Amino acid sequence: MELIQSFSVDHTLIVPGIFVSRVDTVGGDTVTTYDVRLKRPNREPVIDVAAMHSLEHIIATYLRNDPDWKDELIYWGPMGCLTGFYIILKGSRSPREVYKPVLSAFKYVNEVEEVPGAAPVNCGHYLMHNLAMAKWYAAEFAAYLEENADDPKIFEYPKTERLVTEGGQNFYDS
């Protein structure tokens, strides 16, 4: 099987930031997936799963209610590795254009008094939330984004040249 695009990025070099993960055409329309990375893969502890769940609820609700972004938002959800989130938007914007709504969403987390949709009727695991930790992660990431706003590394996936054999095998230690 062919390696999917997000697995072909060198995760040893990724820093927290906002990156274009992939651009697709769906029914003639452009759809862009962004990697919103809060933690350095394989180098920092992952985000607590209950806090991740709370961040998913809060930020998805915030973005789906943002008048400037709600019509473009297709999806906001966690990465399986618990180091960040994916946001999928209609159209094609640069990571710098996505910066402001993402920063606003993470800042908004600290204003929340309760996790939206954290009830048995609304959520598949309503007891697995941690608002206090979600606020901590959100504040940490918002501060990081603001401190590094002028650093191009937080907007561009690291580029790595990899040796590929005639048979198509990738060598990741080259």
Side-chain angles (χ1 to χ4, degrees):
M1 273 193 215
E2 189 174 321
L3 197 62
I4 65 171
Q5 196 169 352
S6 63
F7 294 161
S8 66
V9 175
D10 188 340
H11 284 65
T12 66
L13 301 176
I14 295 175
V15 298
I18 303 166
F19 313 99
V20 171
S21 177
R22 60 181 293 142
V23 179
D24 296 292
T25 303
V26 179
D29 296 321
T30 300
V31 175
T32 306
T33 302
Y34 300 87
D35 172 331
V36 179
R37 191 69 62 144
L38 281 68
K39 298 292 178 183
R40 288 183 178 103
N42 304 306
R43 295 191 338 219
E44 291 184 80
V46 298
I47 301 165
D48 170 77
V49 70
M52 187 75 137
H53 190 201
S54 296
L55 287 168
E56 175 197 9
H57 276 236
I58 296 164
I59 294 174
T61 300
Y62 175 85
L63 291 171
R64 290 189 186 282
N65 284 282
D66 183 322
D68 295 329
W69 291 90
K70 68 180 184 178
D71 294 333
E72 291 184 44
L73 182 68
I74 295 171
Y75 174 78
W76 169 268
M79 295 177 176
C81 62
L82 302 176
T83 62
F85 293 87
Y86 287 114
I87 183 172
I88 303 173
L89 299 172
K90 296 175 189 171
S92 181
R93 296 176 176 267
S94 73
R96 289 183 189 274
E97 292 175 284
V98 178
Y99 171 88
K100 185 177 177 187
V102 167
L103 177 60
S104 295
F106 276 90
K107 285 183 162 188
Y108 171 74
V109 172
N110 283 300
E111 298 174 23
V112 172
E113 297 298 323
E114 63 182 45
V115 177
V121 70
N122 305 113
C123 180
H125 197 353
Y126 77 100
L127 294 175
M128 188 184 67
H129 285 281
N130 188 332
L131 181 56
M133 284 303 298
K135 288 183 177 202
W136 185 86
Y137 286 112
E140 177 188 55
F141 187 58
Y144 173 87
L145 286 178
E146 289 180 317
E147 291 167 12
N148 292 281
D150 295 326
D151 187 347
K153 286 190 300 191
I154 74 163
F155 298 111
E156 297 172 13
Y157 269 145
K159 305 283 189 281
T160 302
E161 292 296 321
R162 294 193 172 128
L163 177 64
V164 180
T165 67
E166 289 179 19
Q169 183 178 11
N170 287 300
F171 283 90
Y172 293 96
D173 60 349
S174 62

